[in-house]
Amino acid sequence: MAKNYTFPILFDEIKSLSITNLKRLKYLQKNCSINGNVYWKSRGENTGNISINTSLIQDNNFVEFIYTCNDKSYNYKVNLIGIKSNLNKGIIWYFKCKFTGIRCRKLHLINGRFQHRSILKTGMYSSQTQSKYYRSLDKVYGAYFKSDSYYSELYSKHFKKYY
């Protein structure tokens, strides 16, 4: 008997915000309070935006999210936790999810709020929804199917050829 479809929410397809994005946009600077906006696009169209205020002043480290989702306004703070790197190369920043209390590097927009993915028990990544046969094909032919994306990555603006 076949398994019933569950149609899970895919974490790859929902809006998310990560520490890496904030660093890339230069919102995480020591002893500074920075305001800015983050925009999401899909196929060239603007699908959403959020206003972000970051503060890394002494012990008061937080990110404030201000946005509107489904005609409801949201404004709340998420604490940032800084941990010394084991390589002695600065501080590694983490979000402390306001709703689960979990330390994480990425927050997803679930039910109108940016939260850790563990709050959604039925959520999956797109690779988890693929059939066993497709995963076996991907192991053999995956590099061929993804050759265009590898080529564009190789000749992208900031690609590092050597480390």
Side-chain angles (χ1 to χ4, degrees):
M1 187 166 165
K3 184 179 175 184
N4 292 335
Y5 290 110
T6 57
F7 299 110
I9 293 176
L10 299 178
F11 294 123
D12 301 333
E13 296 177 359
I14 60 176
K15 293 174 179 65
S16 62
L17 203 67
S18 69
I19 294 289
T20 307
N21 293 343
L22 295 179
K23 273 187 171 180
R24 185 174 35 85
L25 296 170
K26 295 187 172 54
Y27 288 158
L28 297 179
Q29 294 182 10
K30 207 174 198 179
N31 297 324
C32 287
S33 181
I34 300 173
N35 303 330
N37 292 323
V38 174
Y39 298 94
W40 286 278
K41 289 187 177 188
S42 176
R43 299 180 182 156
E45 289 185 32
N46 190 7
T47 59
N49 65 337
I50 182 171
S51 179
I52 295 178
N53 302 329
T54 60
S55 176
L56 297 178
I57 300 172
Q58 295 174 354
D59 292 336
N60 191 15
N61 303 323
F62 65 87
V63 177
E64 182 179 14
F65 300 129
I66 304 168
Y67 61 97
T68 302
C69 182
N70 298 331
D71 298 328
K72 189 173 179 184
S73 296
Y74 294 95
N75 182 357
Y76 57 93
K77 293 179 181 179
V78 175
N79 290 328
L80 290 172
I81 300 171
I83 296 178
K84 278 185 79 172
S85 168
N86 63 339
L87 302 174
N88 293 327
K89 294 201 174 200
I91 296 174
I92 299 174
W93 291 103
Y94 293 93
F95 293 115
K96 182 171 182 187
C97 179
K98 183 174 182 165
F99 308 100
T100 61
I102 296 175
R103 185 180 75 186
C104 59
R105 304 237 337 140
K106 192 171 194 175
L107 295 174
H108 299 277
L109 185 64
I110 302 169
N111 298 328
R113 297 189 180 259
F114 282 94
Q115 307 172 44
H116 186 260
R117 62 187 166 92
S118 66
I119 205 157
L120 188 64
K121 301 297 182 199
T122 59
M124 293 183 177
Y125 289 97
S126 59
S127 60
Q128 292 174 300
T129 62
Q130 296 170 349
S131 68
K132 189 173 183 179
Y133 178 70
Y134 185 80
R135 287 193 303 258
S136 67
L137 281 179
D138 193 42
K139 283 182 185 176
V140 177
Y141 300 110
Y144 178 74
F145 293 140
K146 297 172 187 167
S147 62
D148 291 337
S149 65
Y150 293 149
Y151 183 82
S152 63
E153 182 182 345
L154 184 64
Y155 292 102
S156 65
K157 186 175 179 182
H158 299 290
F159 181 74
K160 291 183 182 179
K161 294 181 183 174
Y162 306 103
Y163 289 93

